[in-house]
């Protein structure tokens, strides 16, 4: 028998349960009544607010590049993207890729964005660990330098975005050419040094008539840049399209011997690039007997800024720019030295901000021109070449229109098999071969065979 | 009844429970010394073991490590650059170690003689290069030894002497490197020698002098034999040092000309970070370690025999 107390408890429990069940129950289908069919209302379009990237953007870059941004486009970028906070970490040029490589291996601590030279980036492109940037580069494919894009591309995907390129030209001293009784206007000089053989003849004339060296070509510590230029301009290099080592191929032997002819003729100085004696030769007056000036330097176009700013600041008006020599008559008179590109390592914590930075700072034509005006870093973006600035005469170079010449050369640079996964190893071994040959320790063939074998052993390539 | 048989092997061996008790008893001591071992395990032991494993693999720093057995080690005999770097280590050792150790000992004896006023000032001055940044020192030496306008060659010209291709000639580049190393490491070795000398009672040398020995005889017959362990320490560290030079070479000669100053450490670094062949670089590193270990053991044995 239920007593009253129990009955009350049961009723209370049932009431509570009914409330709970009602609350949890799915809404039942509304019974269909004869109502006029509802008129379908168009969806209310809410204004789409594109969210801009924000947050911290860590960029690994050499100090000089950071200076260029800070002095030109960075304020505008931060105005456009006020919620992005940039943190720069500076490394030496070749250290950026090393540090990124280590961070990728470790799986932590990668930057959000990095900029360094192609020579270093190409190894990372080959090894993997960089983000695919094809999507942001695609709209600009037709204006970005094809050759440099080649170093950024693997299996059809783009892993770095070219910033600048180093079209190789021959800077020459007008006053030295004048003193040697040679025509010193750019066209005449370009014609006088049409090939390396012509350059050698011109050097001999300069040597005979002025006693001045033609250029610096160190023997013991030579970096091998002249050899690289000679191969690159022919579309060759230290390996072939199948990845086989070619350092000991006959064409490299021939190039080495062509360089040897300059030592044999005794028309060059023994100064080494990027050392004080070389700087002294670049900036020396023609009558300086202690440190005679060199007549030419064949190097990337970025050297123009270095000459103006510090390497030969006293020689304004005396330097001119000519086309580099071709390897053989009618050959290509364009090669590349240096240049850099942007890349985003996998594991970047702020990919959107990094992409925004590349698009704003590097792919925007006006911003790219602004950086070129400031720095002389020659853009790899040909859309910039139509800017009036490229047609302006340069007072330092005797009012020559140098930038148009640089642009012409930049567009002719062929793909050379110099950069790549083993660029550093190949260059170092080729340079050692050149030093061995220059010092008379080995014949050209022996020195290159030794270098090629060392590369094969170290890299596992054939 | 379970009677444990006493044998020679377990006589003095603490049981695991008593060892655990011992550890528990001294737990705070273990806690206090643990930071070193933890850090060593992370930054020392782990890289060493990983490198050992890598030496049996082909790995480019990214992606999978492919086991390659002894392939990397089989390449080493043909690696001319590596063997040249080892030979460079031997040549550099012979060029600078005897001179440096002799100078260090001589300076230590002079400073220890008690006849030098301002002993501490001189000791500090001689030691100062050791704490100077090697990169700065290397670049300064490079400027000093520059062929055209370097101070050294300018001085030679003033005295009517022929200039020297300090960094352009194979042998002079090695000499230049040796000069930098002597300059940088002399003070360190001198301080070690000085510490050793101060443990030798003066009475011994004085007794030899009273017995009629000349100061030179006392030095070679009394001081040098008693200093033998200290000299051995300096010799071993210098031997390892001459094969392991890195910043000195990178800033002064970059391994050139024609690899004449390249050292094993630079070769290993180049293979790892130039060619991204971490497996082969690890094999080179372990080969290098084994050779240095062997060299050190030989030096110890020779010294023990002489004592």
């Amino acid at each position: 028998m239920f007593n009253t107390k129990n009955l009350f408890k049961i009723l209370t429990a049932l009431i509570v349960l009914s409330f709970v069940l009602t609350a949890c129950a799915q809404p039942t289908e509304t019974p269909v009544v004869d109502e006029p069919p509802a008129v379908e209302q168009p969806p209310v379009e809410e204004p789409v607010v594109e969210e801009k990237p924000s947050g911290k953007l860590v960029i690994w870059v050499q100090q000089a590049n950071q200076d260029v941004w800070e002095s030109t486009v960075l304020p505008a970028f931060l105005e456009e993207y006020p919620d992005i906070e940039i943190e720069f970490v500076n490394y030496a040029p070749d250290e950026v890729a090393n540090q990124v490589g280590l961070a990728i291996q470790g799986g932590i601590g990668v930057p959000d964005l990095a900029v360094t030279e192609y020579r270093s980036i190409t190894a990372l492109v080959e090894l993997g660990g960089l983000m695919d940037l094809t999507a942001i580069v695609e709209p600009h494919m037709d204006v970005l330098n094809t050759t440099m894009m080649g170093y950024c591309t693997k299996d059809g995907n783009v892993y770095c975005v070219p910033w600048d390129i180093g079209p190789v030209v021959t800077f020459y001293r007008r006053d030295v050419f004048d003193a040697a009784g040679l025509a010193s206007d750019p066209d005449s000089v370009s014609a006088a040094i049409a090939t390396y053989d012509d350059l050698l003849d011109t050097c001999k004339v300069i040597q005979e008539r002025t006693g001045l060296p033609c250029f610096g070509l160190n023997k013991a510590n030579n970096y091998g840049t002249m050899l690289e230029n000679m191969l690159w301009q022919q579309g060759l290099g230290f390996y072939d399209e199948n990845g086989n080592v070619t350092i000991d191929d006959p064409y490299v032997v021939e190039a080495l011997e062509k360089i040897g002819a300059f030592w044999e003729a005794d028309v060059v100085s023994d100064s080494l690039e990027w050392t004080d004696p070389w700087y002294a030769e670049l900036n020396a007056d023609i009558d300086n007997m202690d440190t005679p000036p060199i007549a030419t330097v064949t190097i990337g176009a970025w050297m123009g800024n270095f000459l103006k700013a510090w390497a030969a600041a006293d020689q304004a008006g005396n330097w001119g720019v000519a086309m580099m020599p071709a390897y053989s008559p009618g050959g290509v008179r364009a090669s590349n030295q240096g240049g850099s590109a942007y890349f985003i390592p996998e594991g970047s914590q702020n990919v959107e901000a990094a992409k925004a930075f590349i698009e704003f700072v590097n792919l925007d034509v006006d911003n790219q021109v602004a950086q070129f005006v400031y720095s002389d870093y020659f853009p790899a973006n040909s859309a910039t070449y139509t800017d009036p600035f490229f047609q302006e005469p340069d007072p330092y170079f005797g009012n020559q229109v140098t930038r148009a010449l640089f642009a012409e050369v930049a567009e002719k640079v062929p793909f050379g098999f110099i950069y790549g996964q083993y660029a550093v190893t190949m260059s170092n071994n080729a340079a050692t071969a050149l030093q061995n040959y220059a010092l008379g320790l080995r014949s050209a063939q022996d020195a290159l065979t030794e270098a090629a074998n060392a590369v094969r052993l170290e890299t596992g390539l054939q | 009844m379970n009677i444990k048989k006493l044998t020679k092997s377990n006589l003095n061996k603490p049981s695991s429970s008593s060892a655990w008790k011992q550890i528990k008893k001294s737990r705070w001591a273990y806690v206090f010394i643990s930071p070193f071992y933890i850090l060593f395990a992370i930054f020392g032991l782990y890289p060493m073991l990983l490198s050992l494993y890598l030496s049996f693999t082909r790995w480019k720093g990214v992606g999978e490590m492919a086991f390659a057995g002894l392939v990397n080690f089989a390449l080493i005999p043909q690696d001319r650059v590596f063997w040249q770097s080892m030979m460079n280590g031997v040549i550099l050792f012979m060029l600078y170690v005897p001179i440096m150790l002799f100078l260090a000992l001589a300076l230590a004896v002079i400073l220890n003689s008690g006849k030098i006023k301002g002993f501490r000032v001189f000791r500090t001055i001689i030691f100062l290069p050791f704490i100077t940044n090697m990169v700065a020192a290397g670049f300064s030496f490079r400027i000093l030894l520059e062929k055209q306008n370097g101070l050294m060659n300018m001085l030679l010209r003033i005295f009517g002497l022929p200039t020297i291709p300090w960094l352009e000639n194979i042998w002079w580049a090695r000499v230049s490197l040796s000069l930098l190393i002597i300059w940088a490491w002399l003070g360190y070795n001198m301080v070690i020698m000085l510490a050793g000398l101060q443990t030798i009672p003066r009475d011994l040398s004085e007794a030899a002098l009273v017995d009629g020995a000349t100061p030179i005889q006392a030095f070679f017959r009394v001081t040098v034999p008693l200093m033998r362990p200290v000299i051995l320490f300096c010799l071993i560290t210098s031997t390892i040092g001459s094969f392991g030079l890195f910043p000195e070479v990178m800033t002064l000669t970059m391994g050139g000309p024609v690899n004449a100053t390249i050292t094993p450490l630079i070769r290993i670094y180049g293979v790892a970070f130039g060619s991204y062949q971490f497996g082969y670089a690890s094999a080179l590193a372990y080969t290098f370690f084994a050779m240095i270990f062997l060299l050190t053991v030989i030096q110890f044995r020779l010294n023990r025999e002489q004592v």
Side-chain angles (χ1 to χ4, degrees), chain A residues 319-392:
Chain A
W319 281 97
V321 188
M323 300 280 273
M324 73 178 292
Y327 188 77
S328 49
V332 175
R333 302 184 72 176
S335 177
N336 179 72
Q337 273 183 27
S340 51
Y342 293 74
F343 62 96
I344 303 176
E346 276 176 6
S348 163
Q349 298 296 304
N350 202 342
V351 177
E352 291 313 311
K355 285 181 177 173
F357 191 90
I358 294 173
E359 289 189 309
F360 187 92
V361 172
N362 193 53
L363 294 173
D364 181 277
V365 172
D366 292 338
N367 286 338
Q368 180 70 271
V369 170
Q371 292 168 77
F372 176 52
V373 170
Y374 177 80
S375 67
D376 265 2
Y377 290 180
F378 199 81
N381 184 338
S382 65
T384 59
Y385 302 165
T386 53
D387 190 276
F389 182 65
F390 282 74
Q391 298 302 327
E392 280 181 20

Side-chain angles (χ1 to χ4, degrees), chain A residues 170 192-207 212-219 222 226-227 230 233 254-270 295-296 298 324-327 434 437-438:
Chain A
T170 297
I193 60 167
T195 64
Y196 285 99
D197 293 337
D198 295 332
L199 174 64
L200 181 58
D201 292 340
T202 304
C203 290
K204 283 176 183 169
V205 172
I206 291 170
Q207 175 73 27
L212 296 174
C214 202
F215 55 94
L217 189 64
N218 180 267
K219 285 183 175 178
N222 197 299
M226 190 172 181
L227 178 65
M230 284 180 165
Q233 66 187 134
E254 187 189 280
L256 209 58
E257 285 170 347
K258 219 179 248 288
I259 294 171
F262 288 89
W263 283 309
E264 212 169 293
D266 198 19
V267 292
V268 288
S269 79
D270 196 42
T296 68
T298 300
M324 73 178 292
Y327 188 77
L434 184 52
Y437 169 66

Side-chain angles (χ1 to χ4, degrees), chain A residues 82-99:
Chain A
D83 295 329
I84 292 178
E85 181 200 340
I86 297 179
E87 183 187 312
F88 289 112
V89 179
N90 292 137
Y91 289 107
D94 50 353
E95 263 305 291
V96 175
N98 273 352
Q99 294 295 331

Side-chain angles (χ1 to χ4, degrees), chain B residues 34-50:
Chain B
S34 65
F36 167 77
Y37 290 98
I38 293 167
L39 291 173
F40 174 73
I42 297 169
F43 297 108
L45 195 61
Y46 170 70
M48 277 194 277
L49 294 175
L50 179 68

